[in-house]
Amino acid sequence: MGIHGLAKLIADQAPGAIKEQDIRNYFGRHSRKIAIDASMCIYQFLIAVRQDGNVLQNEDGETTSHLMGMFYRTIRMLEHGIKPVYVFDGKPPQLKSSEVREVVSLLIRLQIISAICTLLSNNLLTTTYLSTMLVIILSAHLLNCSACLQIFDVAYIHKIAITCITCISIVLYISLRKDQFLYGQLLHMKKLPIQEFHFSRILQEIGLTNEQFIDLCILLGCDYCGTIKGIGPKRAIDLIKQHGCIEEILENIDSNKHPSPEDWLYKEARGLFLNPEVVDCSTVELKWSQPDEDGLIQFMCNEKQFSEDRIRNGCKKIVKSRQGSTQGRLDSFFTVTGSLSSKRKEAEGKGSAKKKQKTGATPGKFRKGK
DNA sequence: ACTCTGCCTCAAGACGGA
DNA sequence: TTGAGGCAGAGT
DNA sequence: TCCGTCC
């Protein structure tokens, strides 16, 4: 979820801190590794890959939509010479609702991980950081992730985010989350063109310190705690400028007009922003090698009932992409769907007979189908 | 007049044969 | 589910 | 390019 309305606030208050970059500008200057928010990715597949409103699944009723999506998308990236780094940040959006969802989500992720492990011919039980053609970063913490300890999850996000940014010359961080540049993240890429958020410039233009900016984000609304009633982006920024920190603001506003949440954990949230747990980058090892085709067939075809032809075909593409070390272009990989900055109605276009029949199925409900 | 809230709608993947 | 955008209405 | 299908 990120910080509520942060992108808009920055666009309004510090427009100079955002630079739009053509994706071509990233070629040649950096390696071609791309970090991808795996949770968001998986979630999108679960929502989008459906048949008659239901997720795809094998005979046992196990969901396979996400496997399908990850498999093909990864291959597409490899074909274009991109090395994806899937980042499991430990807290996909659906986790917030209930413990049941959390467990389900964890299982889904483990399923993905085991699929990847098969592909990587690695042993999940003995390997914390895995890699071959594609790279997965995960932590042993993921396996122990407790339904109750949201704080724990949060720390985990930070840890991984920092890891990615600092240690592996990531070119792009594809993510829908907007709070991540709080930790030094510079690039936000939902669709093209890529937006670069320059953090120091943001502070400079708005005229806040790092700590004040974090307090501002808390006031706007973050994942970790509530907000003060009646304080939106405009008032929040004025109050921060005027008083400097949340403590001072609380002392100077009318608590009747602007009640703060009970047991407001803003200090804890602030602590998480200020002192994210950082993993020792030297423990992260990334390497790319050949896929384990037999293992992949076993998992994807025998267990998940994917078409063997399609999987083998995919393996061929992976091998070929490595041999040729193709220099494909990112912009041929990412679909450009017109100017995002313009209004949706404009992008709507006329001939878009793209209406997928949703058959009135309630989204978010994963039925067993049998 | 300005600001915030709440509610609404919208879109969200990839392959391959025709 | 999610974020974004639009809009009406209420509060200040 | 469209659209049925993928599992």
Side-chain angles (χ1 to χ4, degrees):
Chain A
M1 180 197 289
I3 307 297
H4 186 256
L6 182 57
K8 188 171 188 307
L9 181 139
I10 292 169
D12 292 341
Q13 303 287 328
I18 304 177
K19 286 207 187 90
E20 294 206 338
Q21 286 275 13
D22 191 291
I23 198 154
R24 293 173 186 81
N25 294 346
Y26 293 100
F27 290 116
R29 293 193 289 148
H30 306 280
S31 64
R32 305 279 295 283
K33 295 172 191 148
I34 297 185
I36 298 166
D37 185 331
S39 301
M40 204 56 85
C41 199
I42 292 167
Y43 192 76
Q44 283 178 343
F45 287 127
L46 289 175
I47 295 298
V49 183
R50 279 157 186 268
Q51 176 80 324
D52 297 329
N54 301 316
V55 290
L56 302 184
Q57 48 191 210
N58 68 3
E59 282 178 357
D60 298 333
E62 296 172 306
T63 301
T64 52
S65 292
H66 52 304
L67 295 173
M68 158 98 72
M70 294 284 276
F71 182 72
Y72 288 123
R73 180 178 285 181
T74 301
I75 288 170
R76 281 184 79 192
M77 284 192 274
L78 291 168
E79 279 189 303
H80 288 82
I82 300 161
K83 293 171 178 174
V85 179
Y86 288 101
V87 180
F88 287 84
D89 67 8
K91 203 175 103 182
Q94 66 270 36
L95 286 196
K96 288 166 197 159
S97 310
S98 71
E99 293 183 10
V100 175
R101 283 230 175 82
E102 178 148 6
V103 171
V104 169
S105 169
L106 187 57
L107 289 174
I108 289 170
R109 279 181 286 158
L110 289 175
Q111 213 176 2
I112 283 282
I113 291 165
S114 63
I116 300 302
C117 288
T118 309
L119 185 62
L120 308 186
S121 52
N122 254 316
N123 184 344
L124 176 63
L125 296 176
T126 59
T127 316
T128 302
Y129 296 102
L130 307 169
S131 50
T132 58
M133 294 293 295
L134 72 156
V135 180
I136 294 290
I137 298 178
L138 68 155
S139 162
H141 289 164
L142 187 59
L143 304 176
N144 303 321
C145 152
S146 157
C148 317
L149 289 177
Q150 207 176 15
I151 294 294
F152 180 88
D153 265 334
V154 165
Y156 179 73
I157 292 176
H158 300 174
K159 185 161 109 174
I160 294 303
I162 292 288
T163 304
C164 299
I165 292 157
T166 55
C167 77
I168 24 179
S169 67
I170 297 298
V171 180
L172 309 169
Y173 193 94
I174 305 176
S175 171
L176 302 182
R177 307 175 71 92
K178 290 212 194 55
D179 53 347
Q180 284 172 342
F181 65 81
L182 274 181
Y183 316 108
Q185 182 63 50
L186 288 186
L187 302 175
H188 172 57
M189 179 173 169
K190 186 177 179 182
K191 296 203 175 166
L192 303 177
I194 294 170
Q195 285 184 317
E196 288 183 355
F197 288 83
H198 295 261
F199 188 48
S200 57
R201 192 76 190 274
I202 293 170
L203 297 183
Q204 186 187 329
E205 290 202 16
I206 303 182
L208 298 178
T209 65
N210 188 31
E211 289 75 13
Q212 287 170 340
F213 185 73
I214 286 170
D215 275 10
L216 172 63
C217 288
I218 294 171
L219 288 175
L220 291 174
C222 62
D223 290 352
Y224 319 134
C225 62
T227 59
I228 303 175
K229 192 111 178 137
I231 306 292
K234 306 272 184 187
R235 280 173 199 151
I237 205 162
D238 289 344
L239 286 168
I240 285 287
K241 281 182 178 173
Q242 191 181 345
H243 302 293
C245 65
I246 292 177
E247 283 84 351
E248 285 292 314
I249 291 172
L250 289 176
E251 284 186 13
N252 287 283
I253 57 171
D254 185 340
S255 59
N256 292 319
K257 276 190 224 161
H258 299 295
S260 52
E262 274 181 50
D263 300 325
W264 196 28
L265 296 174
Y266 70 90
K267 286 182 183 170
E268 284 77 1
R270 182 194 284 154
L272 291 170
F273 281 121
L274 277 173
N275 300 304
E277 190 185 342
V278 181
V279 76
D280 178 8
C281 298
S282 64
T283 63
V284 180
E285 184 191 353
L286 301 177
K287 55 181 178 184
W288 278 261
S289 58
Q290 298 292 343
D292 170 15
E293 183 167 336
D294 290 340
L296 200 59
I297 296 290
Q298 165 63 24
F299 180 82
M300 296 292 272
C301 304
N302 297 350
E303 289 183 35
K304 304 300 175 189
Q305 284 140 22
F306 279 73
S307 149
E308 186 169 332
D309 283 350
R310 286 191 170 207
I311 300 300
R312 288 206 186 275
N313 196 25
C315 285
K316 269 187 213 147
K317 287 182 180 175
I318 295 174
V319 172
K320 191 178 165 196
S321 72
R322 282 194 54 75
Q323 290 167 344
S325 92
T326 44
Q327 294 300 311
R329 316 205 50 137
L330 269 181
D331 54 348
S332 63
F333 169 72
F334 294 103
T335 311
V336 185
T337 57
S339 169
L340 186 76
S341 49
S342 52
K343 301 291 188 248
R344 187 189 303 144
K345 53 191 169 198
E346 187 185 16
E348 188 53 61
K350 24 248 105 209
S352 66
K354 207 181 152 160
K355 284 280 159 285
K356 278 187 185 165
Q357 39 165 349
K358 289 272 179 187
T359 45
T362 314
K365 199 60 172 180
F366 302 153
R367 292 190 221 108
K368 264 259 180 164
K370 327 216 112 162

